Amino acid sequence: MSSSSYLHLFQLCFFLVISTCVAQTTFHPKTLFLAVKKDPSTLQYITKVHQRTPLVPLKLAVHLGGESLWVDCEQGYKSYTYKPARCNSRQCNLARSTACGDCFENSTRPGCNNAACYNLVGNPSMDAMSTNGEIAEDVLSIQSISGSIPGPVATVSRFIFSCSTTNLTQNLGKDVKGMVGFGQQSPVSFATQFASAFRFSRKFAICLSSSTERNGVIFIGHSPYYFSLAFDASQDLIYTPIITLPHYIAITYPHYTRINRASSEYYIQVSSIRINGKTLHLNKTLLSLDENNEEGGTKIRTAVPYTVFEGSVYSAVSKAFVNELPEEVKTVSPVQPFKTCFDSTYIGMSRLGYNAPEINLVLHKPNVYWTITGANSLVKVTEKVICLAFVERDQALGQAIVIGGYQMQDNLVEFDLSRGRIGFSDSLFFRQTMCSNHNYA
């Protein structure tokens, strides 16, 4: 190979946040995408990637606050290009390894190698975390966007991920083999690695479909984000800052282990809540995030199916919501996990979903708020019963508000990591479209 060829190859392999070598070296997409479908049994949001050599399709649950992509390597992981990260390597440092050592099985395999480094991998659906995630590299491909339609496949040949054991996939959807993490401040999160590989901004946007039959979409990279009739949903976004935490507590059996590194979860400031324009009386201390103990405040999590409120916040929201409904609307016995339910006979429908009191989550400024309409505040549980689609926190400690997947459905939510902000679109029903009205999948 000539010296000029070596120089050209070197230029194609570059370092930003991480160092990767892209398989399609002449292809530089600006935006990539993942199709996302809601699993009807678990209410998890499931996507698909292609990994390994030869490529294998993998179903993964979306974990907004996850540090990285992890997969089950115990069952049938076969690849010619799998490379475990060796102790003290660049890959170990980027993935913020917590341990290093040997595998004590009779023979090595993906997920069990000598002189390999390990990291935390977690499954929020079973409230479990393991320190046995072997850090590794392998080929990974997803599709790009060309205008308003799918473009060529984008491949990263040395994508950093973690191997896990089969038992960590409990409570995931059928045939789901792991989770894909989009956490902030993680050098090996899904969006950060692709942004580094293809040299675009660290930004992604989630649009979850309310249908279990039609796909929503996750955009990775630059806007526009086109939906039906060439509508660019990025034009309607209102922004609020991302709050970052310096550390968090990881629970590992049988002890508590403090991990001194930046949290990958997404926190925002919700200053107050209004229902039909009336501000609720809430404990302001609860709404403020205690950064030392990670209590109070507001977190966003796709792994939570419905928004969770601390007890006093739930009571205030429920009471005000009921008071703003027409008198003929009657409450009925609760249906788990919900506490406030209604006879749907006298609740009509509009293009914004159920006719319901408007809820505003007021963010860092009084004039910056995220509007929740009936499509995201009420959920049908039986033919005659609908319920307030919020649940009361069942733990003594935690966030005052955890915004869940149901409230994000048919809203575009953009996570602009480069600028430290999150954008909310309000319901796409206002624009007579929805998250499944796209041509990307």
Side-chain angles (χ1 to χ4, degrees):
M1 186 181 290
S2 66
S3 59
S4 62
S5 297
Y6 277 114
L7 177 61
H8 180 61
L9 180 61
F10 176 78
Q11 291 173 336
L12 292 172
C13 298
F14 52 87
F15 288 88
L16 286 175
V17 178
I18 63 172
S19 175
T20 54
C21 185
V22 181
Q24 282 93 352
T25 52
T26 59
F27 173 50
H28 298 288
K30 293 184 177 180
T31 311
L32 311 172
F33 82 91
L34 295 171
V36 182
K37 182 170 287 186
K38 185 177 182 179
D39 180 74
S41 59
T42 64
L43 304 183
Q44 296 162 5
Y45 299 94
I46 309 300
T47 189
K48 183 186 291 185
V49 303
H50 287 78
Q51 190 202 39
R52 313 173 193 178
T53 303
L55 288 172
V56 173
L58 289 178
K59 290 175 67 176
L60 303 171
V62 176
H63 182 10
L64 180 61
E67 290 194 353
S68 64
L69 183 151
W70 66 262
V71 300
D72 172 14
C73 292
E74 256 188 341
Q75 301 294 322
Y77 194 108
K78 296 180 181 180
S79 175
Y80 297 116
T81 46
Y82 179 91
K83 294 180 181 179
R86 300 305 180 185
C87 295
N88 303 314
S89 66
R90 176 186 58 84
Q91 293 88 342
C92 296
N93 293 332
L94 284 169
R96 303 188 289 188
S97 171
T98 57
C100 192
D102 294 336
C103 178
F104 296 104
E105 295 183 10
N106 292 330
S107 60
T108 61
R109 59 169 175 81
C112 188
N113 289 273
N114 294 327
C117 57
Y118 298 85
N119 206 354
L120 296 170
V121 288
N123 180 353
S125 68
M126 57 185 293
D127 196 22
M129 189 168 286
S130 169
T131 57
N132 297 324
E134 180 178 271
I135 300 167
E137 293 179 329
D138 212 335
V139 174
L140 192 141
S141 295
I142 62 175
Q143 277 197 289
S144 69
I145 286 174
S146 178
S148 60
I149 60 174
V153 169
T155 299
V156 175
S157 62
R158 298 177 61 188
F159 191 93
I160 299 173
F161 71 105
S162 293
C163 274
S164 179
T165 52
T166 303
N167 62 1
L168 201 65
T169 63
Q170 294 179 56
N171 297 348
L172 295 180
K174 184 180 179 181
D175 298 324
V176 176
K177 300 301 183 182
M179 307 193 81
V180 54
F182 286 84
Q184 63 154 326
Q185 302 189 95
S186 170
V188 294
S189 73
F190 196 81
T192 294
Q193 288 199 65
F194 273 100
S196 299
F198 292 105
R199 292 179 283 187
F200 52 65
S201 297
R202 291 189 303 127
K203 183 166 66 173
F204 66 96
I206 292 180
C207 205
L208 301 175
S209 173
S210 54
S211 169
T212 57
E213 301 296 327
R214 299 185 300 274
N215 290 332
V217 62
I218 297 178
F219 301 94
I220 302 169
H222 297 285
S223 55
Y225 312 127
Y226 285 124
F227 292 90
S228 60
L229 304 176
F231 164 62
D232 176 12
S234 68
Q235 301 302 308
D236 283 353
L237 297 177
I238 56 101
Y239 291 94
T240 195
I242 298 173
I243 299 174
T244 59
L245 293 185
H247 55 70
Y248 69 99
I249 303 295
I251 303 174
T252 58
Y253 183 83
H255 305 294
Y256 286 92
T257 301
R258 190 176 187 89
I259 307 298
N260 290 311
R261 64 189 187 203
S263 172
S264 59
E265 298 280 3
Y266 290 91
Y267 299 88
I268 60 171
Q269 178 64 51
V270 172
S271 302
S272 62
I273 300 175
R274 296 197 297 253
I275 296 184
N276 274 358
K278 302 173 183 176
T279 301
L280 306 186
H281 296 288
L282 302 174
N283 182 344
K284 295 293 185 180
T285 302
L286 284 172
L287 297 181
S288 298
L289 179 63
D290 182 342
E291 296 188 8
N292 293 320
N293 297 308
E294 200 186 351
E295 304 292 343
T298 300
K299 181 193 294 185
I300 306 175
R301 299 196 89 185
T302 51
V304 175
Y306 300 96
T307 291
V308 178
F309 287 136
E310 180 276 336
S312 64
V313 177
Y314 179 87
S315 296
V317 170
S318 175
K319 182 179 179 181
F321 191 90
V322 170
N323 288 342
E324 292 299 318
L325 288 170
E327 290 184 3
E328 59 268 22
V329 177
K330 305 301 181 184
T331 59
V332 298
S333 298
V335 179
Q336 290 297 320
F338 309 108
K339 293 183 64 176
T340 307
C341 298
F342 310 95
D343 182 335
S344 62
T345 304
Y346 296 102
I347 298 182
M349 296 285 290
S350 71
R351 65 185 178 92
L352 302 178
Y354 292 104
N355 293 330
E358 183 177 278
I359 300 174
N360 296 137
L361 300 182
V362 182
L363 304 175
H364 65 292
K365 294 181 179 179
N367 63 339
V368 180
Y369 51 87
W370 185 21
T371 299
I372 300 175
T373 62
N376 300 98
S377 63
L378 290 169
V379 57
K380 181 179 179 179
V381 294
T382 70
E383 195 60 37
K384 290 290 185 70
V385 176
I386 58 177
C387 296
L388 185 63
F390 305 98
V391 297
E392 185 175 352
R393 193 180 75 191
D394 60 2
Q395 298 174 329
L397 301 175
Q399 269 59 63
I401 303 172
V402 181
I403 299 173
Y406 192 83
Q407 278 62 49
M408 296 170 66
Q409 288 176 174
D410 293 311
N411 290 244
L412 180 77
V413 184
E414 180 187 78
F415 298 82
D416 189 343
L417 305 182
S418 297
R419 302 177 71 175
R421 63 182 189 173
I422 298 176
F424 301 91
S425 72
D426 294 336
S427 176
L428 296 186
F429 293 166
F430 280 110
R431 292 286 194 162
Q432 299 184 349
T433 189
M434 60 184 67
C435 286
S436 60
N437 283 354
H438 58 79
N439 298 318
Y440 300 116

